[in-house]
Amino acid sequence: MFWKYSLDGEKRLQNLFWCDGTSRYDCSVFGNVLGFDAMYGRNKYKCPLVIFLGVDHHMRTVVFNYVILNNESEDSYVWLLRPFLEAMKGKPPKSVMTDGDLVIKSTVGIVFPGAHYRLCSWHLLRNATAKVGRFGLS
C-alpha cells in the first residue's frame, strides 16, 4: 500500500493519494499510457475525485490509483502527479490522456516533461460534434 496526504494551514486534510500493491504492479506493466479525469460532486464534500487508469493487454481497464483533491489548481495537480511518480518508482508515463483541461495539460508538462499529452477519444468526439447541425454557429 502506498499513500500520501497533505494538510492545510489548520492541519485539516487537503489532498489524499492512495494505491495498493496490485495497482502499483499493474502500472509498472501497463502504465506507459495513463488516463485520468476529475469527477465532481460524487462525494459528501464535493471534492474532485481523480482516478488514474490504463488498459491491460486484454483491453480491460486497469485502475492505478485514486486521489481526492481540495481544489483543481495547478498546485493541486502538481501535488497529485508527484506522488504518482513516487508510487511508480520514478517511471513516468509515455502518454497522458485527459479531458483537455488547460491546467491539467500544463501540469503534465511540468511533472512529465517527456510525455505526450492527448485528448481522450470521448472528448474528441464530443468537441467535434458539438456544433454539427447548428446552422449559423461558428
Side-chain angles (χ1 to χ4, degrees), residues 38-40 43 46-50 67-72 77:
M39 293 186 263
Y40 305 97
N43 57 48
K46 308 290 187 219
C47 296
L49 170 66
V50 181
V67 182
I68 295 176
L69 293 177
N70 183 44
N71 61 51
E72 291 189 284
Y77 280 118

Side-chain angles (χ1 to χ4, degrees), residues 2-4 17-19 23-24 26-28 30-36 50-54 62-67 77-96 111-112:
F2 179 92
W3 71 90
K4 288 277 182 182
F17 174 105
W18 74 98
C19 62
S23 296
R24 291 176 81 184
D26 286 345
C27 191
S28 73
F30 306 115
N32 287 333
V33 178
L34 175 68
F36 71 95
V50 181
I51 300 173
F52 287 76
L53 305 166
V62 179
V63 175
F64 298 139
N65 64 281
Y66 306 90
V67 182
Y77 280 118
V78 167
W79 183 90
L80 80 90
L81 292 178
R82 289 196 172 136
F84 173 84
L85 198 56
E86 184 180 346
M88 302 315 156
K89 300 178 182 171
K91 179 187 172 196
K94 294 184 184 200
S95 291
V96 176
V111 181
F112 307 138

Side-chain angles (χ1 to χ4, degrees), residues 72-75 77 100-108:
E72 291 189 284
S73 67
E74 188 172 285
D75 289 341
Y77 280 118
D101 183 301
L102 294 176
V103 174
I104 294 173
K105 183 177 182 178
S106 70
T107 304
V108 168

